[in-house]
C-alpha cells in the first residue's frame, strides 16, 4: 500500500491529495490537511571542516533540533515537520581542529505543497545574518543530496578543499575555473609578493660567441659588446621546480590589482657596453634580471567541490623595474679557463658595470 493510501485509510475527512510533478520526483503526491510532512535531515562534515555557533529556524515544528556544533568527520540528524515543512540552517565554519574561519554556511530546504522540493546552500564571508557576503571562491563547499520525496531524507554535506597533488589535474582546474575575465570560482588572496634578481646568466652576443679571449701577455683588450638577454616567465608548485601551466587570468589580475605588477611571458633587455679584458684572460658579461614572484595557495571552487593547489609560484621579469637588474663583467686567467664548459676554476674577478 502506498504512503498516501495508508494516510487516507486513517479516515481523516479534511485531507486533500495534490499531485506535484517536479524535477525532484515527477508524480509525487503530497498531503495537506490534518497530516504533516517531515524533513528527516542530516548535516555531514568531512575531516577538514567543523561547524560551530549553529542556529535553525522553521515556519513549522522542530521535532529533533539540529545541533549547534557538528565536529569534523561526523554527522548530525534532525527533523522538522509541518504541512509544507521548511528549515533554514546557519553555521560558523571552522577547520578540522576547530579553528574558526572567516566563513559561514547558510542552507535552506523546504517541501512545498506543489512542485519539487526546494534546496539551497551557500558560503558567506562573514555572518549572513549581519551583513556577510556570499562568495563563490571560498575554501569550503556545500551541497544537498538525497533530496527527493514527500518525506525526504536530505543530506547537507559541507566539505573542506581537496589538496591537489597531481600537477596535470591542478593545471586543468586552473584552466577551467580561473581563466575567465571574472574568475569568481578561484581565490588567490593568500598571494605574497617577493622581488629579487634571477640567477646570473651569460648574455647573448650576435654570432654566438659571448666569450672574448685576450692572448696578449701585456696589453689590455677593450671591445664594445652589443648583447641581449631574454628572461621568460616560470611557474612552480610545491617542491616541483617547474610546472607546465598557462598563467591563469586570476593570477594576472592579482598581480595587477593587488600589487601593481604585470606578469609577462618574457622580456628582452639589450644594450652595448665596453668589455675590458686583462692580458692573458678571458672576459664576458653576465646579467641578473630583476624579477618578482607571486606565491601562495590557490583555491578552486566548482560550487559542489573545492580544491587547493598549495605553494603555487609565478615568477615574471619585472620589466618596469629593469633598472634594478645587474650587469657584471667577468675576467678569468687563461690557465684557469676550461674552454667548452666555460668554467673558471680559480682567479675569477668580477666588476659591476651597472
Amino acid at each position: 500500500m502506498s504512503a498516501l493510501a495508508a494516510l487516507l485509510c486513517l479516515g481523516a475527512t479534511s485531507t486533500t491529495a495534490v499531485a506535484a510533478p517536479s524535477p525532484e520526483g515527477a508524480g509525487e503526491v503530497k498531503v495537506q490537511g490534518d497530516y504533516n510532512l517531515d524533513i528527516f535531515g542530516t548535516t555531514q562534515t568531512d575531516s577538514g571542516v567543523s561547524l560551530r555557533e549553529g542556529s535553525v529556524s522553521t515556519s513549522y515544528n522542530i521535532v529533533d533540533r539540529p545541533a549547534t556544533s557538528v565536529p569534523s568527520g561526523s554527522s548530525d540528524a534532525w527533523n522538522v515537520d509541518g504541512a509544507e515543512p521548511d528549515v533554514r540552517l546557519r553555521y560558523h565554519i571552522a577547520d578540522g581542529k576547530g579553528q574558526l574561519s572567516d566563513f559561514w554556511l547558510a542552507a535552506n530546504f523546504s517541501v512545498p505543497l506543489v512542485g519539487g522540493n526546494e534546496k539551497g546552500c551557500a558560503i558567506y564571508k562573514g555572518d549572513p545574518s549581519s551583513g556577510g557576503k556570499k562568495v563563490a571562491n571560498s575554501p569550503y563547499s556545500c551541497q544537498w543530496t538525497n533530496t527527493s520525496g514527500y518525506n525526504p531524507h536530505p543530506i547537507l554535506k559541507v566539505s573542506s578543499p581537496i589538496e591537489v597533488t597531481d600537477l596535470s589535474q591542478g593545471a586543468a582546474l586552473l584552466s577551467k575555473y580561473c581563466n575567465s575575465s571574472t574568475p569568481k570560482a578561484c581565490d588567490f588572496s593568500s598571494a605574497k609578493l617577493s622581488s629579487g634578481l634571477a640567477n646570473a646568466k651569460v648574455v647573448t652576443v650576435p654570432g654566438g660567441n659571448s666569450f672574448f679571449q685576450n692572448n696578449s701577455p701585456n696589453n689590455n683588450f677593450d671591445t664594445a659588446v652589443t648583447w641581449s638577454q631574454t628572461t621568460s616567465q616560470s611557474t612552480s608548485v610545491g617542491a616541483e621546480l617547474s610546472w607546465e601551466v598557462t598563467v591563469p587570468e586570476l593570477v594576472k589580475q592579482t598581480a595587477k590589482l593587488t600589487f601593481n605588477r604585470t606578469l609577462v611571458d618574457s622580456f628582452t633587455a639589450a644594450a652595448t657596453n665596453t668589455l675590458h679584458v686583462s692580458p692573458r684572460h678571458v672576459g664576458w658579461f653576465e646579467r641578473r634580471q630583476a624579477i618578482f614572484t607571486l606565491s601562495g595557495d590557490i583555491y578552486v571552487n566548482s560550487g559542489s567541490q573545492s580544491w587547493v593547489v598549495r605553494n603555487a609560484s609565478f615568477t615574471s621579469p619585472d620589466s618596469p623595474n629593469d633598472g634594478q637588474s645587474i650587469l657584471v663583467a667577468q675576467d678569468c686567467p687563461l690557465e684557469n679557463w676550461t674552454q667548452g664548459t666555460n668554467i673558471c676554476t680559480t682567479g675569477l674577478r668580477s666588476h659591476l658595470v651597472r
Side-chain angles (χ1 to χ4, degrees), residues 11 30 59 63 133 271 295 334:
K30 300 181 180 179
S59 303
V63 181
K133 302 297 183 182
S295 58
L334 274 176

Side-chain angles (χ1 to χ4, degrees), residues 249-323:
E249 189 66 25
L250 164 76
V251 177
K252 295 178 181 178
Q253 289 186 14
T254 301
K256 188 65 177 177
L257 299 178
T258 305
F259 302 104
N260 195 28
R261 292 289 200 278
T262 301
L263 277 162
V264 296
D265 293 333
S266 64
F267 171 73
T268 299
T272 299
N273 294 91
T274 299
L275 179 66
H276 304 277
V277 185
S278 303
R280 294 199 54 77
H281 277 67
V282 176
W284 67 95
F285 284 128
E286 288 183 358
R287 188 172 182 274
R288 299 184 67 185
Q289 172 66 47
I291 58 174
F292 70 87
T293 299
L294 288 185
S295 58
D297 299 337
I298 300 180
Y299 290 94
V300 182
N301 197 315
S302 68
S304 60
Q305 182 59 63
S306 59
W307 299 265
V308 58
V309 179
R310 299 284 188 197
N311 302 318
S313 294
F314 302 85
T315 299
S316 170
D318 196 358
S319 52
N321 294 306
D322 189 51

Side-chain angles (χ1 to χ4, degrees), residues 144-165:
W144 288 100
T145 60
N146 199 35
T147 55
S148 62
Y150 66 94
N151 281 317
H153 290 68
I155 300 172
L156 174 61
K157 295 182 178 180
V158 187
S159 304
S160 57
I162 297 172
E163 188 163 334
V164 176
T165 56

